[in-house]
Amino acid sequence: MVTSRRSSKGAKLLPPTLGRRHFQCLLLFVGFAAAFAMRVNLSVAIVAMMDRKTANPDFPEYHWSEEIKARILSSFFWGYICTQIPGGILARRFGGKVMLLSSISISSTMALLTPLGVQFGGWKLLCFMRFLQGFGQGVTVPSMHTLLAKWAPVTERGSLATYSYSGSQFGTVIMLASSGVLASSKLGWPSCFYIPGSLGLLWTVLWIIYGASSPSECTKISVAERELIEGSQVHTVKSSSDGKPNLPVPWRRIFTSVPFLVLMATHCASTWCFWTLLTQIPTYMKSVLGKDIKSNAVLSALPYFTMLILGLACGPLSDFLEKGRHLSATTSRKIFNTIGQWVPVLTLIWLGYITRDQADLAVFLLTFTVSISTTMHLGWQVNHIDLAPNFAGTLVSLTNCAANVCSIIAPLVVGFVVTDTSNPHQWRIIFFIVAGINFLGNLMFILFGTAKVQPWNFEHDPVVQDTKVADEEKASELKPLNEDEDGDVPITRAESQFSLN
C-alpha cells in the first residue's frame, strides 16, 4: 500500500481523470446550449419572418417596423430580469437541480408554442410569449452558479465554469448556423422554434435522471472525488447536509461591498457588449455587408464558434495557473478579464470604420471581438463564487438582473440610433458606445476587484469572526491554491491508483 510522505495527516486520493463533476458539467453544458439556442433563435428567424424572399415563401410574412422588431427582441429580457433575484434565493433553498429543470422546461414549452402564438396574436402575443420564455430562463444562471459552487473544487472553478458556460456559445453556434437553412427548408421558419424546443424537453428527461444539486446528493460519485470537492470547500462552502438551516442572506453587507458592486458594474458592461452584438449581427450583416440569410446565419455563428474553441482551450490554462504558484487568484481574474474586455475596445472602434467593400475584414473583426471575450469566463464570470461561495447563486442573480437591464436597453438604443440600417455611420456610433462601456467596466474591475472570500460569506459573530476571517483571507491570497489548510499537497495520480487502509 502507498502512503504520502508529504502530509502529516495522511495522503489524499485524487479522483479519476474524468469524474462525476465533469459529467455534471457536461449536463450543464448541454442544458445551457439548449437555453441559448432558444434564446437566440429569434435573432435570425425574425429576418425570415419579415422577408419571405430570403426563406421559404410558403410561410407567413410579417411587416414590422424596426421599432417593433426592437421591442420583440427586447421582450425576452423583460421576463428574464423578473426571476433573477427570486431564482438565486430559490436555488439556495431547493437546490440548483430543481430550478434549472423548471427553467429549461418552461422555456422549451414556450418555444414550441411560438409559431402558433404569432400566427394568432401577431407581434404583441409574440412579445408576451418571449417574455414568458425569459421569465423561465431567468433562474438559469443563478442555478448554474449554485451548482458550480457545490461541484467545483476551489482549484478547478475557472476551468469547470468555463466548460459549463461554453454551452452558451455551442447553442448559439448551432442555432445561428442552422437557422438560415431551416428557414429555407420545407419546414420553414417555425422549425427554428420547434427543434430547439423539442431538444430542450429531451434534456430535461436526462437531467431528472442524472442531475444532482451537490456531491452529497449524487449516489454515483466516488469517495475520493467527493472528498476532493468537499475538502477543498470546507472553509468556504456551507455543507448542504449538515442539518442546519441555510445561512441568512446578508443583503446590507452585500450591497455595501465594493468588490461586489465593481463585479456588478463589470457584468453590466460585458452584457451590454455581448447582447448588442448577438442581437444585431444578423441585421448588420444583411443591411451593411449585403449578406443573404444563408450566409448571414453561417457568418453570424462564426464568432461564437471561435469563442467556443478558445473557451475550451482556456480551461487547461486556468488549471495550470490556479493549481500552481504562478499567479494569485485575483491577478489571474484581472488578467483574463482585461483580455476579454479591453481587446474588443480596439476592434470595435476599428469596426466602426469598415465599409461595404471591406466585408471580409468586418467578418474577421466581429469574429475576433466576440471570440476573445470568452476569456471573461475566467475573469468576472467566476468571481461570484470567489467572493461568496455560500451565496454564489444569489450574487449572480443580483448582477445578472442589473446586467440584463442593459440587455433591454441595448437593442432599444440601436433602434433609436440606427434609423437607417444600411448607414455605416450610424452603426459606428453603436460600436463606439459599446467600446466605451467595455473600457470603463474593466477599468473598475482592475482597480477594485478581488478574488478573496468576503467576510459576509460566513455565519459569524459580527466582531470576532470578521477579524478571524480577515486574517485568513490575507494568508490564503498569498498561499498557492493547491494547498489546503493543513498544508497537504495532493499525491501524484500514479500514487492515487492505490487505496489506503
Side-chain angles (χ1 to χ4, degrees), residues 268-336:
C268 288
S270 172
T271 300
W272 185 294
C273 176
F274 182 82
W275 283 104
T276 297
L277 295 178
L278 181 64
T279 59
Q280 301 304 320
I281 279 179
T283 301
Y284 176 77
M285 290 285 186
K286 181 178 183 237
S287 302
V288 177
L289 304 183
K291 304 293 183 181
D292 62 35
I293 188 170
K294 287 187 178 180
S295 68
N296 185 339
V298 174
L299 292 177
S300 295
L302 182 60
Y304 303 98
F305 176 75
T306 56
M307 189 180 185
L308 171 65
I309 299 301
L310 181 59
L312 295 177
C314 284
L317 177 59
S318 173
D319 281 345
F320 173 74
L321 293 174
E322 293 192 26
K323 291 182 178 180
R325 301 172 180 265
H326 309 285
L327 293 173
S328 70
T330 296
T331 303
S332 175
R333 300 286 185 261
K334 291 182 178 181
I335 288 175
F336 281 112

Side-chain angles (χ1 to χ4, degrees), residues 263 266-267 270 337 341 376 378-384 445:
L263 173 59
T266 306
H267 191 166
S270 172
N337 207 74
Q341 282 197 289
M376 288 185 291
L378 303 168
W380 68 261
Q381 194 154 9
V382 75
N383 197 223
H384 307 80
F445 192 74

Side-chain angles (χ1 to χ4, degrees), residues 9 51 88 100 145 177 243 249 256 278 321 332 343 399 455 493 500:
K9 294 189 177 181
D51 186 1
L100 191 60
H145 256 54
V249 180
T256 55
L278 181 64
L321 293 174
S332 175
V343 172
T399 65
R493 195 166 300 281
L500 299 177

Side-chain angles (χ1 to χ4, degrees), residues 43-214:
S43 297
V44 172
I46 199 170
V47 178
M49 294 168 72
M50 294 176 63
D51 186 1
R52 69 170 62 187
K53 292 182 293 185
T54 62
N56 188 332
D58 296 332
F59 291 84
E61 178 182 73
Y62 303 95
H63 302 284
W64 298 323
S65 67
E66 286 299 316
E67 182 181 359
I68 290 177
K69 177 183 174 183
R71 291 181 183 179
I72 293 172
L73 293 175
S74 297
S75 58
F76 175 95
F77 301 102
W78 288 105
Y80 192 68
I81 63 174
C82 289
T83 48
Q84 287 295 312
I85 297 176
I89 296 173
L90 292 173
R92 288 186 65 239
R93 180 177 295 273
F94 299 108
K97 176 179 179 177
V98 173
M99 298 312 300
L100 191 60
L101 176 66
S102 64
S103 170
I104 304 300
S105 59
I106 292 174
S107 184
S108 300
T109 302
M110 289 299 102
L112 291 172
L113 293 176
T114 295
L116 183 63
V118 70
Q119 180 179 352
F120 288 99
W123 70 269
K124 292 182 179 179
L125 184 55
L126 176 59
C127 284
F128 179 68
M129 298 189 72
R130 289 292 289 182
F131 172 87
L132 293 179
Q133 197 168 28
F135 189 88
Q137 286 203 27
V139 303
T140 304
V141 174
S143 300
M144 291 272 286
H145 256 54
T146 300
L147 289 163
L148 287 169
K150 296 289 188 180
W151 275 99
V154 173
T155 55
E156 297 179 14
R157 281 176 183 166
S159 60
L160 295 184
T162 300
Y163 296 146
S164 300
Y165 280 105
S166 292
S168 63
Q169 289 95 55
F170 184 77
T172 301
V173 166
I174 296 301
M175 199 67 251
L176 292 183
S178 63
S179 291
V181 176
L182 290 174
S184 300
S185 69
K186 293 181 179 180
L187 300 175
W189 60 258
S191 62
C192 297
F193 302 94
Y194 291 142
I195 292 178
S198 300
L199 293 176
L201 290 181
L202 176 61
W203 178 88
T204 62
V205 176
L206 297 176
W207 184 242
I208 291 172
I209 298 172
Y210 299 109
S213 291
S214 66

Side-chain angles (χ1 to χ4, degrees), residues 9 12 231 234-235 472 475-476 479 483-488:
K9 294 189 177 181
K12 293 183 176 179
V234 67
H235 296 286
E472 290 176 351
S476 65
K479 184 176 62 178
E483 295 184 9
D484 63 15
E485 296 295 320
D486 297 320
D488 292 330

Side-chain angles (χ1 to χ4, degrees), residues 228-246:
L228 172 71
I229 298 171
E230 295 182 347
S232 72
Q233 301 174 347
V234 67
H235 296 286
T236 58
V237 180
K238 179 178 180 290
S239 173
S240 59
S241 58
D242 59 7
K244 298 179 181 179
N246 285 330

